[in-house]
Amino acid sequence: MRVEMSWSIMQWILAAMSAGFVGRAQAVCKAVPGSSGWPTPAEWATFNQSVSGALLQPPPPGGVCHPGEPNYNAAECPAVVTAWKTSWTFHEDDPISNAFNNWNNDSCLPYAGYPCSGEGYPVYVVNATTAEQVQAAINFARENNIRLNVKASGHDFLGRSVAPNSLSIWLHYMNGIQLHDSYKPDGDVCECETYGPTITFSAGDNHGAVYAAANTIGMAVPVAGAPTVCYGGYVTGGGHSILGARYGLAADLVVDMTVVTPDGKIVTANACKNQDLFWALRGGGGATFGVILNMTMLLHPDEPTTEVIWGAVDLLPNATNFWDAAIYAFTQYPDVIDQGLAGYGSIFPGNANTSSVFGVLWLGFNLTSAQIAEMLEPIEEYVKQTWPGEFAFSSNITNWSSFYAYWNANPDRSTPIGVDIVVGSRLLGREALSNPSLKEYFMAAGPPGGVNQDMIAGPGVHNKPLGLDSVSPAWRTAYSHTTTGVGWLPLNEAQEQEMLSNLNGYVEALTALAPDAGAYVNEADPFQANYHEVFWGENYPRLLAIKRAIDPDDVFWCRACVGNERWQEVGNELCQV
Ligand SMILES: Cc1cc2nc3c(=O)[nH]c(=O)nc-3n(C[C@H](O)[C@H](O)[C@H](O)COP(=O)(O)OP(=O)(O)OC[C@H]3O[C@@H](n4cnc5c(N)ncnc54)[C@H](O)[C@@H]3O)c2cc1C
C-alpha cells in the first residue's frame, strides 16, 4: 500500500514536471532580444523591406545627454533637458518617448549622473503611415511572439504606450482629415443611419489638428486639455471634455471606425457592421482589440463661450471650516452643472506659504455673465452667511466667440510633464456628493495633491442610453471625475512606495464613500485592486468575451487593460501567468 502510494505520487510529480517542461518549451514569455525566438537581423531586414523601410531602431531620447549613447550630443542636451519637462510636443514627436518617466523605469533620463539604457523602451518601431504597414507590424509581432506596443502621442498616464522589448507601431505620421456635410457608414447587418456634419481623421491627427479643421466650418469636437493628445487613446478610454457635458463623451460621438484587428485584417466597425468590436472600441481601452486607423465623429456647432474663474480664499485659516465650506460648495455643483455649466474645480488646503482656496474654472455656452452669476450666487451667499468674514469670493469673467477660441488660447498648463506620476480617480454622482459624511471621507482621503474635480459629465453624458458603448456605466450618473495625483523623484523607490501608498489611501477612502463609483480608465491608478471592475463595471464580462474572440492569442497586451489576465510583466519581460 505504502509502495503504491509512493509510486502514484512519483507519477504525479513526473507528470507535473513534464507539463512544466513542455510549458517552458512553448511560448511562456514573449520573445526578447537574445532569446531563441527573437528574429535574426536578416529577418528584421526582410521585415523592414516589407514595410517599405519604415522600421526604426530609435535610441532612448534622453541618450542625447549621455556620452556613449549613439544619439549623444552635448550641444543639444540643454534643449532636451528643457523640453523634457515643458513640451508635450517633444514627447509626441519622438518615436518612443512617453510623457511620464516611471513607465520607462526611469531608464534614460536626460540628466548627468543618471543611468541610461534603452531597456525601458521598445526595441523596434514601425513609423506607420499606411494601413499595410500596420497590418505587417501586427502580423510580424504575432508570428514571432513579440510584444506589441502602440503609440500615438505617448501621453498616457498609465504608461500603456511604451513597452520594453517590444515592436512598436508609431502612428504620429498617419494623418488625413476630412469634413462631411452628411455621412452614412457602410453597414452589413443593417442599414446605417445617415448622420449630419461629421469629421473623419486618422490615428496620428491630434486634437489641435482635428479641432482646427472642424473650426474652419464653425464646428466643435470633444477635445482634451492639451492639443497634443490624440483620439486613439482618448476615445478608447471614453474621452471627456468641457463639451461633453453638453454633447456626450468622445466615445459616444464616434459613428464609424477603420481598424486592423489582431489577425491582421482591415475591418470597418460601426452600428451596423462588426457591432461588438465597435462597442468595445468605444470605451474598452486602446491597444486591446486592434489598431484604429481612422474614425468618424459627429460635429456640433461651436458656440459663444463664457469663462468664469470663480472661487473663494480662506481669510481666517481654519482647517475645519475650510473643508466644511469647500465640501458644501461641492455638494451644490450638480445643480449648477444641470443648468448648463461645466468646469474644472479644485479644493486646495493651503500650507504655511499658501492660502487655502476652493473654486472652479466654469465654462458656459450661450449663457450671459448675469445668468452664470445667478447660478453661483446661492453658493456664495450660503458660505458668507455660515462663516461670516471668513471667505472672500472672486469671479473673473471672459467672453469668447467660441469654445475653440477659448481652448486655443488656454492649453493645459498645470499637468506636469516628464515626471514620475500616478493618478487616482473616482466618478462621483449625486448620491456620493449628498453623503452627509462627505467631508470626513475627503479628509480621510488626505488627498496628497489636493482634490481635482473635473465636472465634465453633465446632461450630455447622462442622457445617453446605458450600453451605448463600453465606457464605465458610472459615467452616466457622474458629475465629478474626482482625481488626485502623486509624484516622486526618479529612481527614489522609498519615496515612490510612500506616494503610491498615499494614493492608495485616497482611492480607498473614495471607494468607501462610493463603492460602486467607477474610475476613468485614462486617468486612474493602474495598481488599484479590481481595476477591471472599477474601470468597466458590468461591461467587463462582455468586453472580455469580445477580447477573447478577436484576440485569442493575446497579440495585444497592455497594463490594466481588458483581457490582460493571462500575462504579467516580469522585470522587462512579458510572461504568461
Ligand atoms: C496634458 C493632458 C491632458 C489631458 N486631458 C484630457 C481630457 O481633457 N480628457 C480626457 O478624457 N483625457 C485627457 N487626457 C488623458 C488622455 O485621454 C490619455 O492620455 C490618452 O491615453 C491619450 O491618448 P493618445 O492616443 O494621445 O496617447 P498614447 O499614449 O499614444 O496612447 C494611449 C493608449 O491608447 C493606445 N492607442 C493610441 N492610439 C491608438 C490607436 N489608433 N488604435 C489603438 N490603440 C491606440 C495606446 O497603445 C495606449 O494604450 C489628458 C492627458 C494629458 C497628458
Side-chain angles (χ1 to χ4, degrees):
M1 177 74 174
R2 192 179 287 176
V3 173
E4 266 176 33
M5 222 163 86
S6 307
W7 175 238
S8 64
I9 288 171
M10 221 159 86
Q11 276 181 317
W12 181 85
I13 291 171
L14 281 171
M17 280 174 68
S18 88
F21 181 76
V22 170
R24 273 201 300 281
Q26 288 169 350
V28 172
C29 298
K30 297 270 180 181
V32 297
S35 75
S36 60
W38 188 256
T40 62
E43 286 166 332
W44 281 109
T46 308
F47 172 58
N48 187 25
Q49 280 170 9
S50 77
V51 292
S52 314
L55 190 66
L56 312 174
Q57 206 175 358
V64 171
C65 299
H66 292 273
E69 288 301 313
N71 51 341
Y72 175 62
N73 186 325
E76 279 180 20
C77 171
V80 169
V81 169
T82 304
W84 197 270
K85 286 193 163 212
T86 54
S87 169
W88 297 110
T89 305
F90 170 82
H91 296 285
E92 183 170 47
D93 285 352
D94 185 275
I96 53 175
S97 199
N98 179 277
F100 305 109
N101 305 331
N102 38 316
W103 308 118
N104 311 320
N105 303 325
D106 297 327
S107 57
C108 185
L109 300 172
Y111 311 127
Y114 280 83
C116 177
S117 80
E119 67 180 24
Y121 292 94
V123 183
Y124 285 98
V125 175
V126 173
N127 179 10
T129 54
T130 67
E132 291 74 22
Q133 288 166 329
V134 174
Q135 287 179 294
I138 292 176
N139 289 339
F140 191 75
R142 190 187 61 249
E143 286 157 10
N144 291 286
N145 183 39
I146 295 171
R147 183 170 180 181
L148 190 60
N149 183 66
V150 182
K151 176 186 170 181
S153 72
H155 284 14
D156 194 55
F157 284 111
L158 291 81
R160 294 167 298 180
S161 47
V162 64
N165 291 316
S166 64
L167 168 63
S168 184
I169 301 176
W170 186 35
L171 298 164
H172 185 48
Y173 292 107
M174 182 166 282
N175 307 120
I177 303 177
Q178 224 186 330
L179 292 158
H180 316 275
D181 292 335
S182 69
Y183 183 87
K184 185 173 168 149
D186 177 27
D188 59 8
V189 295
C190 54
E191 179 87 357
C192 279
E193 182 181 333
T194 301
Y195 299 97
T198 45
I199 187 164
T200 303
F201 47 82
S202 302
D205 294 318
N206 66 21
H207 289 198
V210 173
Y211 203 173
N215 180 58
T216 60
I217 54 166
M219 290 286 179
V221 278
V223 277
T228 42
V229 171
C230 291
Y231 282 93
Y234 179 74
V235 162
T236 53
H240 67 73
S241 75
I242 290 291
L243 291 167
R246 204 161 170 72
Y247 302 119
L249 296 169
D252 303 335
L253 303 179
V254 172
V255 295
D256 204 9
M257 288 173 159
T258 312
V259 186
V260 184
T261 47
D263 57 5
K265 294 203 174 86
I266 300 177
V267 304
T268 301
N270 55 51
C272 286
K273 198 172 190 174
N274 292 308
Q275 292 150 309
D276 272 353
L277 178 62
F278 185 53
W279 180 82
L281 284 167
R282 291 172 303 142
T288 303
F289 306 96
V291 172
I292 301 166
L293 300 176
N294 60 57
M295 57 181 108
T296 302
M297 191 178 264
L298 296 176
L299 292 170
H300 291 91
D302 214 333
E303 295 166 315
T305 300
T306 304
E307 171 197 6
V308 184
I309 302 173
W310 171 89
V313 60
D314 190 348
L315 299 173
L316 309 170
N318 171 325
T320 305
N321 290 356
F322 172 73
W323 276 102
D324 277 328
I327 290 292
Y328 166 75
F330 198 5
T331 62
Q332 303 306 298
Y333 294 159
D335 289 343
V336 176
I337 295 167
D338 280 345
Q339 292 175 70
L341 291 191
Y344 301 110
S346 66
I347 300 175
F348 184 75
N351 52 40
N353 305 316
T354 53
S355 307
S356 298
V357 291
F358 65 87
V360 183
L361 162 64
W362 291 111
L363 289 146
F365 304 105
N366 281 327
L367 290 168
T368 63
S369 311
Q371 284 170 315
I372 296 178
E374 206 176 305
M375 294 177 200
L376 300 174
E377 197 187 315
I379 305 176
E380 292 185 23
E381 278 311 303
Y382 181 91
V383 171
K384 284 180 194 160
Q385 281 176 23
T386 312
W387 300 280
E390 187 156 351
F391 294 95
F393 278 90
S394 64
S395 185
N396 284 322
I397 299 178
T398 312
N399 292 303
W400 299 89
S401 57
S402 63
F403 183 64
Y404 183 72
Y406 161 78
W407 182 79
N408 218 14
N410 292 283
D412 179 304
R413 290 192 189 91
S414 58
T415 307
I417 313 172
V419 292
D420 294 60
I421 191 174
V422 175
V423 175
S425 83
R426 276 294 180 276
L427 293 164
L428 301 181
R430 260 185 199 277
E431 196 184 327
L433 294 181
S434 53
N435 187 309
S437 304
L438 190 62
K439 181 186 97 176
E440 281 69 36
Y441 281 107
F442 270 99
M443 293 191 74
V451 179
N452 298 318
Q453 306 140 314
D454 292 352
M455 285 160 307
I456 31 59
V461 175
H462 301 162
N463 66 18
K464 299 290 178 296
L466 263 185
L468 168 72
D469 44 39
S470 52
V471 300
S472 165
W475 274 112
R476 304 303 174 198
T477 50
Y479 280 91
S480 174
H481 163 46
T482 309
T483 69
T484 198
V486 292
W488 58 90
L489 292 172
L491 298 173
N492 187 332
E493 278 180 33
Q495 201 186 24
E496 176 179 350
Q497 289 317 314
E498 185 191 339
M499 288 298 140
L500 290 177
S501 158
N502 288 348
L503 185 70
N504 191 41
Y506 171 84
V507 168
E508 275 183 8
L510 293 194
T511 307
L513 163 68
D516 297 329
Y520 174 41
V521 57
N522 278 357
E523 295 173 329
D525 177 2
F527 306 119
Q528 67 195 285
N530 306 327
Y531 58 79
H532 290 130
E533 196 185 321
V534 174
F535 296 158
W536 292 289
E538 67 202 37
N539 289 335
Y540 191 68
R542 182 175 169 200
L543 280 168
L544 183 61
I546 295 170
K547 167 74 176 171
R548 292 287 178 254
I550 200 157
D551 190 12
D553 300 326
D554 295 327
V555 177
F556 289 90
W557 186 94
C558 50
R559 183 177 302 114
C561 293
V562 167
N564 66 351
E565 297 88 342
R566 302 195 290 212
W567 297 78
Q568 63 187 346
E569 288 174 301
V570 181
N572 281 336
E573 292 196 39
L574 186 61
C575 297
Q576 282 172 345
V577 171

Short mmCIF file of all heavy atoms in Angstrom, two decimals, residues 529-570:
data_model
loop_
_atom_site.label_atom_id
_atom_site.label_comp_id
_atom_site.label_asym_id
_atom_site.label_seq_id
_atom_site.Cartn_x
_atom_site.Cartn_y
_atom_site.Cartn_z
N ALA A 529 -6.74 47.68 -6.67
CA ALA A 529 -7.34 46.35 -6.69
C ALA A 529 -8.57 46.35 -7.61
O ALA A 529 -9.22 47.38 -7.78
CB ALA A 529 -7.76 45.97 -5.27
N ASN A 530 -8.87 45.21 -8.19
CA ASN A 530 -10.08 45.03 -9.02
C ASN A 530 -10.22 46.08 -10.12
O ASN A 530 -11.32 46.56 -10.39
CB ASN A 530 -11.35 45.11 -8.17
CG ASN A 530 -11.32 44.16 -7.01
OD1 ASN A 530 -10.74 43.08 -7.13
ND2 ASN A 530 -11.89 44.56 -5.90
N TYR A 531 -9.11 46.43 -10.76
CA TYR A 531 -9.22 47.55 -11.71
C TYR A 531 -10.14 47.26 -12.89
O TYR A 531 -10.76 48.17 -13.43
CB TYR A 531 -7.84 48.04 -12.16
CG TYR A 531 -6.96 47.00 -12.81
CD1 TYR A 531 -7.14 46.63 -14.13
CD2 TYR A 531 -5.94 46.40 -12.09
CE1 TYR A 531 -6.33 45.69 -14.72
CE2 TYR A 531 -5.12 45.44 -12.67
CZ TYR A 531 -5.32 45.08 -13.99
OH TYR A 531 -4.52 44.14 -14.57
N HIS A 532 -10.25 45.98 -13.28
CA HIS A 532 -11.16 45.71 -14.41
C HIS A 532 -12.58 46.12 -14.05
O HIS A 532 -13.29 46.76 -14.85
CB HIS A 532 -11.15 44.21 -14.75
CG HIS A 532 -9.86 43.76 -15.38
ND1 HIS A 532 -9.16 42.67 -14.93
CD2 HIS A 532 -9.15 44.26 -16.41
CE1 HIS A 532 -8.07 42.50 -15.68
NE2 HIS A 532 -8.04 43.46 -16.58
N GLU A 533 -12.98 45.78 -12.85
CA GLU A 533 -14.34 46.09 -12.40
C GLU A 533 -14.49 47.61 -12.21
O GLU A 533 -15.51 48.20 -12.57
CB GLU A 533 -14.54 45.37 -11.07
CG GLU A 533 -15.95 45.26 -10.61
CD GLU A 533 -15.97 44.62 -9.22
OE1 GLU A 533 -15.18 43.68 -8.96
OE2 GLU A 533 -16.76 45.10 -8.39
N VAL A 534 -13.45 48.22 -11.66
CA VAL A 534 -13.51 49.67 -11.40
C VAL A 534 -13.60 50.44 -12.72
O VAL A 534 -14.34 51.42 -12.84
CB VAL A 534 -12.27 50.11 -10.59
CG1 VAL A 534 -12.23 51.62 -10.44
CG2 VAL A 534 -12.26 49.45 -9.22
N PHE A 535 -12.87 50.01 -13.73
CA PHE A 535 -12.85 50.77 -14.99
C PHE A 535 -14.07 50.48 -15.87
O PHE A 535 -14.48 51.33 -16.65
CB PHE A 535 -11.58 50.45 -15.80
CG PHE A 535 -10.30 50.88 -15.13
CD1 PHE A 535 -9.08 50.30 -15.47
CD2 PHE A 535 -10.30 51.87 -14.16
CE1 PHE A 535 -7.90 50.69 -14.85
CE2 PHE A 535 -9.13 52.27 -13.53
CZ PHE A 535 -7.93 51.67 -13.87
N TRP A 536 -14.59 49.25 -15.79
CA TRP A 536 -15.66 48.91 -16.75
C TRP A 536 -16.95 48.39 -16.13
O TRP A 536 -17.92 48.15 -16.85
CB TRP A 536 -15.11 47.91 -17.78
CG TRP A 536 -14.08 48.56 -18.65
CD1 TRP A 536 -14.32 49.49 -19.62
CD2 TRP A 536 -12.66 48.36 -18.63
NE1 TRP A 536 -13.13 49.89 -20.20
CE2 TRP A 536 -12.09 49.21 -19.60
CE3 TRP A 536 -11.81 47.56 -17.87
CZ2 TRP A 536 -10.72 49.28 -19.84
CZ3 TRP A 536 -10.44 47.62 -18.11
CH2 TRP A 536 -9.91 48.47 -19.08
N GLY A 537 -16.95 48.18 -14.83
CA GLY A 537 -18.17 47.76 -14.15
C GLY A 537 -18.83 46.57 -14.82
O GLY A 537 -18.17 45.61 -15.22
N GLU A 538 -20.13 46.65 -14.99
CA GLU A 538 -20.87 45.50 -15.53
C GLU A 538 -20.56 45.23 -17.00
O GLU A 538 -20.96 44.20 -17.55
CB GLU A 538 -22.37 45.70 -15.33
CG GLU A 538 -22.94 46.84 -16.15
CD GLU A 538 -24.26 47.37 -15.56
OE1 GLU A 538 -24.38 47.41 -14.33
OE2 GLU A 538 -25.14 47.74 -16.35
N ASN A 539 -19.84 46.15 -17.66
CA ASN A 539 -19.46 45.90 -19.07
C ASN A 539 -18.30 44.93 -19.19
O ASN A 539 -18.00 44.46 -20.30
CB ASN A 539 -19.04 47.22 -19.75
CG ASN A 539 -20.24 48.12 -19.99
OD1 ASN A 539 -21.37 47.64 -20.08
ND2 ASN A 539 -20.01 49.42 -20.09
N TYR A 540 -17.63 44.64 -18.07
CA TYR A 540 -16.38 43.87 -18.21
C TYR A 540 -16.57 42.47 -18.81
O TYR A 540 -15.83 42.11 -19.73
CB TYR A 540 -15.59 43.82 -16.89
CG TYR A 540 -14.21 43.27 -17.18
CD1 TYR A 540 -13.32 44.02 -17.94
CD2 TYR A 540 -13.85 41.98 -16.81
CE1 TYR A 540 -12.08 43.52 -18.29
CE2 TYR A 540 -12.60 41.47 -17.16
CZ TYR A 540 -11.72 42.25 -17.90
OH TYR A 540 -10.51 41.75 -18.27
N PRO A 541 -17.54 41.69 -18.35
CA PRO A 541 -17.66 40.33 -18.93
C PRO A 541 -17.83 40.35 -20.45
O PRO A 541 -17.22 39.56 -21.17
CB PRO A 541 -18.89 39.75 -18.23
CG PRO A 541 -18.98 40.51 -16.94
CD PRO A 541 -18.49 41.90 -17.25
N ARG A 542 -18.63 41.29 -20.96
CA ARG A 542 -18.82 41.34 -22.42
C ARG A 542 -17.52 41.78 -23.12
O ARG A 542 -17.15 41.23 -24.17
CB ARG A 542 -19.97 42.29 -22.77
CG ARG A 542 -20.25 42.34 -24.25
CD ARG A 542 -21.47 43.18 -24.62
NE ARG A 542 -21.53 43.39 -26.06
CZ ARG A 542 -22.20 44.35 -26.66
NH1 ARG A 542 -22.92 45.19 -25.94
NH2 ARG A 542 -22.17 44.47 -27.97
N LEU A 543 -16.85 42.74 -22.51
CA LEU A 543 -15.58 43.19 -23.10
C LEU A 543 -14.57 42.04 -23.15
O LEU A 543 -13.88 41.85 -24.15
CB LEU A 543 -14.99 44.34 -22.27
CG LEU A 543 -15.59 45.72 -22.54
CD1 LEU A 543 -15.16 46.72 -21.47
CD2 LEU A 543 -15.19 46.22 -23.93
N LEU A 544 -14.53 41.28 -22.08
CA LEU A 544 -13.57 40.16 -22.02
C LEU A 544 -13.91 39.12 -23.08
O LEU A 544 -13.01 38.60 -23.76
CB LEU A 544 -13.59 39.53 -20.62
CG LEU A 544 -12.60 38.40 -20.39
CD1 LEU A 544 -11.17 38.86 -20.59
CD2 LEU A 544 -12.76 37.81 -18.98
N ALA A 545 -15.20 38.84 -23.25
CA ALA A 545 -15.61 37.86 -24.27
C ALA A 545 -15.21 38.34 -25.67
O ALA A 545 -14.72 37.56 -26.50
CB ALA A 545 -17.11 37.61 -24.18
N ILE A 546 -15.38 39.63 -25.92
CA ILE A 546 -15.01 40.17 -27.24
C ILE A 546 -13.50 40.08 -27.44
O ILE A 546 -13.01 39.70 -28.51
CB ILE A 546 -15.53 41.62 -27.39
CG1 ILE A 546 -17.06 41.63 -27.38
CG2 ILE A 546 -14.99 42.28 -28.66
CD1 ILE A 546 -17.69 43.01 -27.29
N LYS A 547 -12.77 40.43 -26.38
CA LYS A 547 -11.30 40.35 -26.46
C LYS A 547 -10.85 38.91 -26.77
O LYS A 547 -10.01 38.68 -27.64
CB LYS A 547 -10.70 40.82 -25.13
CG LYS A 547 -9.23 40.52 -24.93
CD LYS A 547 -8.32 41.40 -25.76
CE LYS A 547 -6.84 41.13 -25.44
NZ LYS A 547 -5.95 41.80 -26.37
N ARG A 548 -11.43 37.94 -26.07
CA ARG A 548 -11.01 36.55 -26.29
C ARG A 548 -11.35 36.09 -27.70
O ARG A 548 -10.62 35.31 -28.32
CB ARG A 548 -11.69 35.63 -25.27
CG ARG A 548 -11.22 35.86 -23.84
CD ARG A 548 -9.81 35.32 -23.60
NE ARG A 548 -9.37 35.60 -22.24
CZ ARG A 548 -8.47 36.52 -21.89
NH1 ARG A 548 -7.86 37.25 -22.80
NH2 ARG A 548 -8.14 36.72 -20.62
N ALA A 549 -12.48 36.58 -28.22
CA ALA A 549 -12.89 36.15 -29.57
C ALA A 549 -12.00 36.80 -30.64
O ALA A 549 -11.62 36.14 -31.61
CB ALA A 549 -14.35 36.52 -29.80
N ILE A 550 -11.66 38.06 -30.45
CA ILE A 550 -10.94 38.77 -31.51
C ILE A 550 -9.42 38.62 -31.40
O ILE A 550 -8.70 38.73 -32.38
CB ILE A 550 -11.35 40.26 -31.54
CG1 ILE A 550 -11.01 40.86 -32.89
CG2 ILE A 550 -10.69 41.08 -30.45
CD1 ILE A 550 -11.79 42.07 -33.24
N ASP A 551 -8.96 38.33 -30.18
CA ASP A 551 -7.51 38.23 -29.97
C ASP A 551 -7.18 37.00 -29.11
O ASP A 551 -6.64 37.11 -28.01
CB ASP A 551 -7.00 39.51 -29.29
CG ASP A 551 -5.48 39.59 -29.24
OD1 ASP A 551 -4.82 38.79 -29.93
OD2 ASP A 551 -4.94 40.45 -28.52
N PRO A 552 -7.50 35.80 -29.64
CA PRO A 552 -7.33 34.59 -28.81
C PRO A 552 -5.88 34.36 -28.40
O PRO A 552 -5.62 33.75 -27.39
CB PRO A 552 -7.85 33.47 -29.72
CG PRO A 552 -7.84 34.02 -31.11
CD PRO A 552 -8.03 35.49 -30.98
N ASP A 553 -4.93 34.87 -29.19
CA ASP A 553 -3.52 34.63 -28.88
C ASP A 553 -2.86 35.78 -28.13
O ASP A 553 -1.64 35.82 -27.99
CB ASP A 553 -2.74 34.37 -30.18
CG ASP A 553 -3.30 33.15 -30.91
OD1 ASP A 553 -3.74 32.22 -30.22
OD2 ASP A 553 -3.33 33.16 -32.16
N ASP A 554 -3.65 36.73 -27.68
CA ASP A 554 -3.10 37.87 -26.93
C ASP A 554 -1.97 38.57 -27.70
O ASP A 554 -0.88 38.79 -27.16
CB ASP A 554 -2.60 37.43 -25.55
CG ASP A 554 -3.75 36.94 -24.66
OD1 ASP A 554 -4.87 37.47 -24.79
OD2 ASP A 554 -3.51 36.04 -23.84
N VAL A 555 -2.25 38.89 -28.94
CA VAL A 555 -1.27 39.68 -29.71
C VAL A 555 -1.11 41.04 -29.06
O VAL A 555 -0.01 41.58 -28.97
CB VAL A 555 -1.75 39.83 -31.18
CG1 VAL A 555 -0.79 40.70 -31.98
CG2 VAL A 555 -1.91 38.46 -31.82
N PHE A 556 -2.23 41.60 -28.60
CA PHE A 556 -2.19 42.89 -27.90
C PHE A 556 -2.27 42.64 -26.40
O PHE A 556 -3.11 41.87 -25.93
CB PHE A 556 -3.39 43.76 -28.31
CG PHE A 556 -3.29 44.28 -29.71
CD1 PHE A 556 -3.81 43.55 -30.77
CD2 PHE A 556 -2.67 45.49 -29.97
CE1 PHE A 556 -3.72 44.03 -32.07
CE2 PHE A 556 -2.58 45.98 -31.27
CZ PHE A 556 -3.09 45.24 -32.32
N TRP A 557 -1.41 43.28 -25.67
CA TRP A 557 -1.44 43.20 -24.21
C TRP A 557 -1.03 44.55 -23.66
O TRP A 557 -0.08 45.17 -24.15
CB TRP A 557 -0.46 42.13 -23.69
CG TRP A 557 -0.58 41.91 -22.20
CD1 TRP A 557 -1.34 40.97 -21.58
CD2 TRP A 557 0.05 42.67 -21.15
NE1 TRP A 557 -1.23 41.09 -20.21
CE2 TRP A 557 -0.37 42.12 -19.92
CE3 TRP A 557 0.93 43.76 -21.11
CZ2 TRP A 557 0.04 42.62 -18.67
CZ3 TRP A 557 1.33 44.25 -19.88
CH2 TRP A 557 0.90 43.68 -18.69
N CYS A 558 -1.73 45.03 -22.67
CA CYS A 558 -1.24 46.24 -22.00
C CYS A 558 -1.66 46.27 -20.54
O CYS A 558 -2.55 45.53 -20.11
CB CYS A 558 -1.64 47.51 -22.73
SG CYS A 558 -3.38 47.67 -23.14
N ARG A 559 -0.98 47.13 -19.81
CA ARG A 559 -1.18 47.27 -18.36
C ARG A 559 -2.61 47.74 -18.08
O ARG A 559 -3.08 48.69 -18.70
CB ARG A 559 -0.17 48.30 -17.85
CG ARG A 559 -0.17 48.53 -16.36
CD ARG A 559 0.93 49.51 -15.97
NE ARG A 559 2.24 49.06 -16.39
CZ ARG A 559 2.98 49.66 -17.31
NH1 ARG A 559 2.54 50.74 -17.91
NH2 ARG A 559 4.16 49.19 -17.64
N ALA A 560 -3.26 47.08 -17.14
CA ALA A 560 -4.59 47.47 -16.69
C ALA A 560 -5.62 47.47 -17.83
O ALA A 560 -6.56 48.25 -17.82
CB ALA A 560 -4.55 48.84 -16.01
N CYS A 561 -5.40 46.62 -18.83
CA CYS A 561 -6.30 46.59 -19.99
C CYS A 561 -7.24 45.37 -19.93
O CYS A 561 -6.99 44.42 -19.19
CB CYS A 561 -5.49 46.53 -21.28
SG CYS A 561 -4.56 48.05 -21.56
N VAL A 562 -8.27 45.41 -20.75
CA VAL A 562 -9.22 44.29 -20.84
C VAL A 562 -8.47 43.02 -21.28
O VAL A 562 -7.67 43.04 -22.23
CB VAL A 562 -10.33 44.61 -21.87
CG1 VAL A 562 -11.14 43.36 -22.21
CG2 VAL A 562 -11.23 45.72 -21.35
N GLY A 563 -8.72 41.91 -20.60
CA GLY A 563 -8.20 40.62 -21.02
C GLY A 563 -6.71 40.42 -20.80
O GLY A 563 -6.11 39.52 -21.39
N ASN A 564 -6.12 41.23 -19.91
CA ASN A 564 -4.66 41.10 -19.71
C ASN A 564 -4.31 40.07 -18.65
O ASN A 564 -3.15 39.94 -18.27
CB ASN A 564 -4.05 42.46 -19.35
CG ASN A 564 -4.54 42.96 -18.00
OD1 ASN A 564 -5.47 42.38 -17.42
ND2 ASN A 564 -3.94 44.01 -17.51
N GLU A 565 -5.31 39.32 -18.18
CA GLU A 565 -5.11 38.43 -17.03
C GLU A 565 -4.12 37.30 -17.28
O GLU A 565 -3.57 36.75 -16.33
CB GLU A 565 -6.46 37.79 -16.62
CG GLU A 565 -7.52 38.76 -16.14
CD GLU A 565 -8.39 39.30 -17.26
OE1 GLU A 565 -7.98 39.22 -18.45
OE2 GLU A 565 -9.47 39.82 -16.97
N ARG A 566 -3.91 36.93 -18.54
CA ARG A 566 -3.12 35.71 -18.79
C ARG A 566 -1.61 35.97 -18.85
O ARG A 566 -0.83 35.06 -18.99
CB ARG A 566 -3.59 35.05 -20.09
CG ARG A 566 -5.07 34.70 -20.04
CD ARG A 566 -5.49 33.75 -21.12
NE ARG A 566 -5.49 34.33 -22.45
CZ ARG A 566 -6.34 33.95 -23.39
NH1 ARG A 566 -7.25 33.03 -23.13
NH2 ARG A 566 -6.29 34.48 -24.60
N TRP A 567 -1.23 37.27 -18.79
CA TRP A 567 0.18 37.63 -18.88
C TRP A 567 0.52 38.59 -17.76
O TRP A 567 -0.34 39.31 -17.27
CB TRP A 567 0.48 38.30 -20.22
CG TRP A 567 0.23 37.44 -21.40
CD1 TRP A 567 -0.98 37.14 -21.95
CD2 TRP A 567 1.20 36.74 -22.18
NE1 TRP A 567 -0.82 36.30 -23.03
CE2 TRP A 567 0.51 36.04 -23.20
CE3 TRP A 567 2.59 36.64 -22.14
CZ2 TRP A 567 1.17 35.26 -24.14
CZ3 TRP A 567 3.25 35.87 -23.08
CH2 TRP A 567 2.53 35.18 -24.07
N GLN A 568 1.80 38.63 -17.41
CA GLN A 568 2.23 39.62 -16.43
C GLN A 568 3.64 40.09 -16.77
O GLN A 568 4.40 39.38 -17.42
CB GLN A 568 2.19 39.03 -15.03
CG GLN A 568 3.15 37.86 -14.85
CD GLN A 568 2.98 37.16 -13.51
OE1 GLN A 568 2.36 37.69 -12.62
NE2 GLN A 568 3.56 35.99 -13.38
N GLU A 569 3.95 41.31 -16.31
CA GLU A 569 5.30 41.83 -16.54
C GLU A 569 6.23 41.26 -15.47
O GLU A 569 5.94 41.35 -14.28
CB GLU A 569 5.28 43.36 -16.47
CG GLU A 569 4.61 43.96 -17.69
CD GLU A 569 4.44 45.46 -17.62
OE1 GLU A 569 3.78 45.93 -16.67
OE2 GLU A 569 4.96 46.15 -18.51
N VAL A 570 7.29 40.63 -15.94
CA VAL A 570 8.30 40.09 -15.02
C VAL A 570 9.59 40.82 -15.37
O VAL A 570 10.21 40.54 -16.39
CB VAL A 570 8.47 38.57 -15.21
CG1 VAL A 570 9.49 38.02 -14.23
CG2 VAL A 570 7.14 37.85 -15.05
#
